[in-house]
Amino acid sequence: TNQWSLEAAMLGATSFMGQNPITNAYFSNLKAPVQQSGFLNTRGATNKINIGLGGNIGDKIFFGLSLGIPILNYTVNTQMVEINANPNDTVSQFQGYLLNSTVSETGVGVTGKVGLIYKPVPWARFGVSYSLPTWYFMTENYSSEIQYGDSILDGSEPALSYQMRTPMKGTVGASFYLKEHGFISIDYEFQNLGSTHYHFTDPRYSSIDTSYNSYMKSVYGYSHTIKVGLEGAIKQLRLRAGYSYTNTPFIKSKMNYSDASHNGSAQSATVGIGGRFKRFYIDLAYVFTYTKDAVSPNFQIPLDQINSTYMTHNIMLTLGFRLSRDESKPAATKERQKRSSDQLPKYLDPGDKY
């Protein structure tokens, strides 16, 4: 918004290009051919500190809860260029512009998670978990400049502090074990993306809470994810395969400016191999993710959308070491442990999926 209002102030007054503040329509009086180019560079990460507690009742009901403190940083840098590509045009006063803008977000939050597993028989497990919403305390920094001829105008803004609540997430799943041969698992996740909520404490933006939150509810709906995984065991060897699908988040609106095939839905396929030994385990996995979406360089103005196809390849290696058992425990305790462990599959991995 800042950069387009800046552009309108500079160029709209001279009737070359700009933004109509009433209809929010973008216009350009540049005559073809016009050369347009630009790039969008994003980077960032989310790290989380977790504190957890778990237990079980009679080796039938397993429960756990955790407290999480996520730490977030994210930066988007955009550059847009539009120039008059007609070398014979000596009439137009507007020959081109360069727009640079950077938005950076930093914040810390708090969240939690509770989960429950029921194991009615040794070969079946049913689980449910609920991830609480995450409450973030955010700071945003925005800077921009536009170069037009020999002029450079600055559109930077003071730092903005606000609060954000991201949606909860629920998961239900089941796993079925085939003795020592392996297992199959199915998970379903759901998340109401439209429940994202903003609260601005800055007096400059205290009146836009309602419009932001209404916009989120009108555009986004429930996100659904289905995951299926399969593992086969041959002595110490483990072979795995998995697939997941997440639907488009734009359930209620076409505000993503995309056609039916560029709707932001995502698919992933995984294959892996590993080994389990007495005190050591190793896993190697390959994950392929495929998604198609669209983005408009004019942000909220659905003009010149760019349809993109993303294919990502990830290779992950996991190494683990088991701690030694306490040999000082009484024999009766060891015997009880042995009887309990006899009910579990021999290939059961530490840190099972639930």
Side-chain angles (χ1 to χ4, degrees), residues 23 37 40 59 118 127 135 149 165 191 216 258 275 321 323-324:
T23 63
S37 62
L40 181 70
D59 286 339
Y118 176 54
W135 290 267
R165 186 190 70 218
Q191 193 172 26
M216 298 298 295
S258 64
F321 299 89
L323 299 178
S324 300

Side-chain angles (χ1 to χ4, degrees), residues 147-185:
Q147 301 178 20
Y148 170 61
D150 296 330
S151 301
I152 299 178
L153 296 181
D154 181 33
S156 301
E157 291 284 341
L160 169 66
S161 297
Y162 64 96
Q163 299 170 16
M164 178 178 65
R165 186 190 70 218
T166 60
M168 66 81 189
K169 182 170 68 174
T171 304
V172 295
S175 296
F176 303 95
Y177 294 82
L178 308 174
K179 294 185 177 180
E180 69 274 10
H181 302 297
F183 69 85
I184 183 172
S185 65

Side-chain angles (χ1 to χ4, degrees), residues 18-309:
Q19 178 184 5
N20 187 318
I22 299 176
T23 63
N24 202 34
Y26 167 84
F27 63 89
S28 174
N29 287 336
L30 282 176
K31 305 302 181 182
V34 176
Q35 181 177 329
Q36 298 171 317
S37 62
F39 71 85
L40 181 70
N41 183 33
T42 65
R43 63 185 183 274
T46 299
N47 301 292
K48 184 185 288 187
I49 301 172
N50 280 315
I51 302 173
L53 175 67
N56 79 85
I57 302 174
D59 286 339
K60 292 289 185 180
I61 299 176
F62 303 81
F63 60 89
L65 56 91
S66 67
L67 173 68
I69 303 174
I71 303 170
L72 179 149
N73 67 85
Y74 183 67
T75 301
V76 180
N77 177 248
T78 305
Q79 182 182 93
M80 296 173 56
V81 180
E82 190 171 67
I83 63 175
N84 186 349
N86 185 356
N88 300 318
D89 183 3
T90 59
V91 178
S92 174
Q93 299 178 35
F94 179 72
Q95 296 297 324
Y97 76 94
L98 168 64
L99 175 64
N100 275 310
S101 66
T102 301
V103 179
S104 63
E105 305 274 354
T106 58
V108 62
V110 61
T111 187
K113 186 175 182 178
V114 295
L116 182 70
I117 302 170
Y118 176 54
K119 188 181 69 173
V121 291
W123 51 268
R125 297 184 182 188
F126 302 92
V128 59
S129 67
Y130 177 78
S131 297
L132 298 172
T134 302
W135 290 267
Y136 280 105
F137 300 88
M138 304 290 298
T139 299
E140 176 183 295
N141 289 278
Y142 174 82
S143 63
S144 69
E145 67 174 24
I146 187 168
Q147 301 178 20
Y148 170 61
D150 296 330
S151 301
I152 299 178
L153 296 181
D154 181 33
S156 301
E157 291 284 341
L160 169 66
S161 297
Y162 64 96
Q163 299 170 16
M164 178 178 65
R165 186 190 70 218
T166 60
M168 66 81 189
K169 182 170 68 174
T171 304
V172 295
S175 296
F176 303 95
Y177 294 82
L178 308 174
K179 294 185 177 180
E180 69 274 10
H181 302 297
F183 69 85
I184 183 172
S185 65
I186 302 174
D187 291 329
Y188 165 67
E189 297 178 356
F190 61 95
Q191 193 172 26
N192 183 11
L193 300 178
S195 66
T196 301
H197 186 274
Y198 292 90
H199 175 61
F200 295 90
T201 56
D202 193 310
R204 294 174 296 164
Y205 304 99
S206 58
S207 61
I208 64 174
D209 290 49
T210 301
S211 60
Y212 262 62
N213 297 326
S214 298
Y215 172 81
M216 298 298 295
K217 291 181 180 179
S218 65
V219 173
Y220 298 98
Y222 273 90
S223 172
H224 306 276
T225 300
I226 298 292
K227 299 179 180 179
V228 179
L230 176 67
E231 177 181 296
I234 306 174
K235 296 183 179 180
Q236 283 81 22
L237 182 66
R238 303 291 182 267
L239 300 174
R240 300 188 183 91
Y243 173 80
S244 71
Y245 172 79
T246 302
N247 70 309
T248 174
F250 301 99
I251 302 297
K252 299 181 180 180
S253 172
K254 296 298 182 182
M255 292 298 289
N256 58 333
Y257 317 130
S258 64
D259 56 34
S261 64
H262 291 79
N263 58 14
S265 60
Q267 302 180 68
S268 294
T270 305
V271 293
I273 186 171
R276 291 293 183 270
F277 308 97
K278 186 175 181 180
R279 298 290 175 83
F280 171 76
Y281 62 92
I282 181 171
D283 289 292
L284 181 66
Y286 165 73
V287 183
F288 172 75
T289 303
Y290 179 85
T291 184
K292 298 169 71 174
D293 70 0
V295 63
S296 171
N298 300 299
F299 302 98
Q300 293 189 8
I301 306 165
L303 182 70
D304 301 330
Q305 80 171 26
I306 302 171
N307 292 333
S308 301
T309 299

